[in-house]
Amino acid sequence: MFSFKERAIKFIFSCLAFSCLLFLLAIVVILFWQGAPLFSYMDFSQFFFGKSWYPTSQPPEFGIFPLISGSLIVTLGAMVVCVPLGIGSALYIYELSGPNSKKILKPIVEILGSIPSIVFGFFALTIAAPAIQQFFNIPTGLCALTASIILGIMAIPTITSISEDALSFVPNSFREASYALGANKFQTLFKVTIPAAASGISTSVILGMSRIVGETMTVLMVSGGAAVITSSFFSPVRPMTATIAAEMGEAAFGSLHYQALFAIALVLFMTTLVFNVIAERISQKYALKLGANR
Amino acid sequence: MLEQNIRVKAKDVSFYYGQKRALKDLNINFFTNKVTAFIGPSGCGKSTFIRLLNKMNDLIPNTRAEGKILLDDENILDKKVDAVKIRRKIGMVFQKPNPFPKSIFQNVAYGLELCSMSKKEMERVVEESLQKAALWNEVKDRLRDNALGLSGGQQQRLCIARCLAVEPEVILFDEPCASLDPISTSKIEELILELKKQYTIVIVTHNMQQAARVSDWTAFMYIGELIEFSPTKEIFVVPKEKKTQEYLSGRFG
Ligand SMILES: Nc1ncnc2c1ncn2[C@@H]1O[C@H](COP(=O)(O)OP(=O)(O)OP(=O)(O)O)[C@@H](O)[C@H]1O
Ligand SMILES: [Mg+2]
């Protein structure tokens, strides 16, 4: 009787756990199923390296290179913002600040992480974009720069909280050993603590990147929406996520355009998957490395 | 004992964790080239006291020390005294071996890198320190391997080598053998007897036999107070205090 109950509970939980797997599988299958037919119309290199994205012209063109370049430039810009700020805050909060400022700063970072992206987008649209337009004297504030800054800020909490975890995994005995040998606070930080937490910190950066690449709402609102290849932070861009969000409504079901959007989704999925797998690998190694000493 | 042989002198030392008084008016002297052992029941303040000697308690917020600990006429407890300078004179080996997750060489060289030193010189000091710590023969062919791959006993000797490399004058051991097997323990004990020729040594131990084997002087502490401080030969044979006697005969602790 008891063991039946136990088994039933175990069964229910395993169903719940496996349903995640099921959702994941369903998504992958649908992405392939809807996106793959596009490649009977055009080949991979035309899709990836095609220089124009004109889904509604006759004949339509589905080269996503401008979209990839848009994603790339925005991601790079955002990394410049979030990596130093995210890691810097983690180091300050966990290693340098006193218990009092820690009590204030930690919740603030957490709140920043819980703000919905539409709010960031709204803020960017009404405050950041006009300010940037004026400051740099450019035709529009809706450009790669604005998107980068906002996305960078959005990714800070991800990087900070995971980096903080990484720092908390560094055994205190390492720090004590360093101090006992006559190292000061900064030598201890740079020669012992950061190297010991390095893999966790890189994991945080990769996950932050994954968040930036996949972010849609903000990007849709502030990136400017021009599907042209660009190398300037001051021009409007159209990253992959924004393209899907903007055009999914108008693309006729089953049309080539529709398929092309699915193919883009597939590319995004693969990219973030790769990022996450890399992050997972690194953090596994990291657990092994410190495991012996904890 | 002649005054000039005193290396470190503690006078009326008290210590507080927040409101809680962990040490009460300790008076004790550590003599040059002698081993002093601290014994006493768990929680009596042994670690707290020896961590005062190299300012490790400064790292714990909300703590306060009173009294004086004199090293070369300088009061270690004075907040203005440079912790780095003191820690280079008074090294410490911890209860659990705590090598850095770096190579064996880098571990020993760590303290040397902090003060710029030529590579040649560094290699010489690393070898010398490993030799003094009786580890050189076991690791000389794998100096580039990660230190975490060593056995517990080897790791502890590596920590001793790392400490010797910065050329301290006093070495503090806080239960250095607590996590080691008997063979590693006896190696560390031999090492301590060898090291006392050059250094002044303070060791905390829960092992009475160990205290009897390695130390010249023994201090018995009980709930934050120093109850008895006598030559080891005497304290284990004819303890002066009743508390010491009770503790040594295993009546509490
Ligand atoms: N960081 C701390 N904060 C507050 N109280 C502490 C702290 N460290 C130690 N104490 C307290 O101070 C007292 C002395 O502790 P200490 O670690 O010095 O004892 P000990 O003699 O080394 O014990 P053991 O033999 O178990 O290592 C204990 O009552 C302990 O609870
Ligand atoms: Mg202790």
Side-chain angles (χ1 to χ4, degrees), chain A residues 181-294:
Chain A
L181 289 167
N184 62 29
K185 208 167 190 174
F186 287 95
Q187 288 166 330
T188 302
L189 187 62
F190 286 107
K191 286 172 151 279
V192 174
T193 315
I194 295 180
S199 23
I201 292 174
S202 20
T203 305
S204 81
V205 169
I206 293 168
L207 292 179
M209 206 148 92
S210 164
R211 159 117 213 238
I212 293 166
V213 172
E215 175 54 41
T216 307
M217 191 48 79
T218 321
V219 171
L220 181 64
M221 289 167 84
V222 299
S223 60
V228 290
I229 300 170
T230 175
S231 55
S232 161
F233 275 104
F234 296 124
S235 39
V237 291
R238 170 174 264 197
M240 294 186 277
T241 48
T243 310
I244 300 175
E247 298 176 11
M248 208 56 187
E250 7 175 301
F253 180 81
S255 66
L256 277 174
H257 188 192
Y258 183 86
Q259 290 169 358
L261 292 178
F262 266 99
I264 296 174
L266 198 56
V267 172
L268 275 171
F269 175 80
M270 290 300 184
T271 313
T272 47
L273 183 72
V274 168
F275 284 169
N276 283 279
V277 168
I278 293 173
E280 182 65 23
R281 280 283 164 80
I282 292 177
S283 62
Q284 257 173 17
K285 249 196 184 157
Y286 165 72
L288 284 182
K289 202 166 126 200
L290 293 180
N293 215 276
R294 284 186 63 202

Side-chain angles (χ1 to χ4, degrees), chain A residues 105-170:
Chain A
L105 286 171
K106 216 173 136 71
I108 288 181
V109 173
E110 274 156 21
I111 292 170
L112 189 65
S114 65
I115 295 175
S117 42
I118 186 87
V119 177
F120 277 103
F122 185 68
F123 168 78
L125 207 56
T126 55
I127 313 274
I132 284 170
Q133 180 187 7
Q134 280 206 336
F135 187 79
F136 292 102
N137 198 12
I138 44 178
T140 171
L142 301 179
C143 59
L145 181 66
T146 315
S148 293
I149 292 174
I150 298 298
L151 284 175
I153 294 172
M154 289 173 70
I156 289 173
T158 309
I159 294 185
T160 302
S161 69
I162 298 171
S163 293
E164 253 189 78
D165 282 350
L167 292 169
S168 75
F169 284 143
V170 177

Side-chain angles (χ1 to χ4, degrees), chain B residues 43 45-48 95 174-175 204 206:
Chain B
K46 306 179 295 291
S47 300
T48 303
Q95 173 170 349
D174 193 350
E175 299 184 47
V204 171
H206 272 286

Side-chain angles (χ1 to χ4, degrees), chain B residues 17-18 20 22-23 40-49 60 63 95 174-175 204 206 221:
Chain B
Y17 290 105
K20 196 178 146 237
L23 297 176
S42 192
C44 68
K46 306 179 295 291
S47 300
T48 303
F49 182 69
I60 305 172
T63 57
Q95 173 170 349
D174 193 350
E175 299 184 47
V204 171
H206 272 286
M221 284 182 69

Side-chain angles (χ1 to χ4, degrees), chain B residues 3 5 16 23 42 50-51 65-66 69 74 76 88 98 108 131 134 138 149 161 163 175 178 204 211:
Chain B
E3 185 75 11
N5 284 339
Y16 300 82
L23 297 176
S42 192
I50 73 161
R51 286 167 60 94
E66 283 167 0
I69 297 178
E74 206 169 21
I76 295 173
R88 291 191 155 252
N98 56 354
V108 185
Q131 235 141 18
E138 288 158 66
C163 170
E175 299 184 47
V204 171

Side-chain angles (χ1 to χ4, degrees), chain A residues 99 173-184 187-188 191-192 195-196 289-290 292-294, chain B residues 51 54 56 59 84 87-88 92 94 96-102 110 113-114 148 155 162-163 166:
Chain A
S173 62
F174 288 177
R175 297 184 187 90
E176 283 201 323
S178 170
Y179 285 120
L181 289 167
N184 62 29
Q187 288 166 330
T188 302
K191 286 172 151 279
V192 174
K289 202 166 126 200
L290 293 180
N293 215 276
R294 284 186 63 202
Chain B
R51 286 167 60 94
N54 66 340
M56 289 306 276
L59 303 171
V84 168
R87 290 179 191 145
R88 291 191 155 252
M92 182 164 205
F94 296 83
K96 240 181 84 192
N98 56 354
F100 301 122
K102 300 171 183 273
Y110 183 82
E113 282 168 7
L114 300 174
L148 298 182
Q155 285 187 9
R162 183 172 71 178
C163 170
V166 295

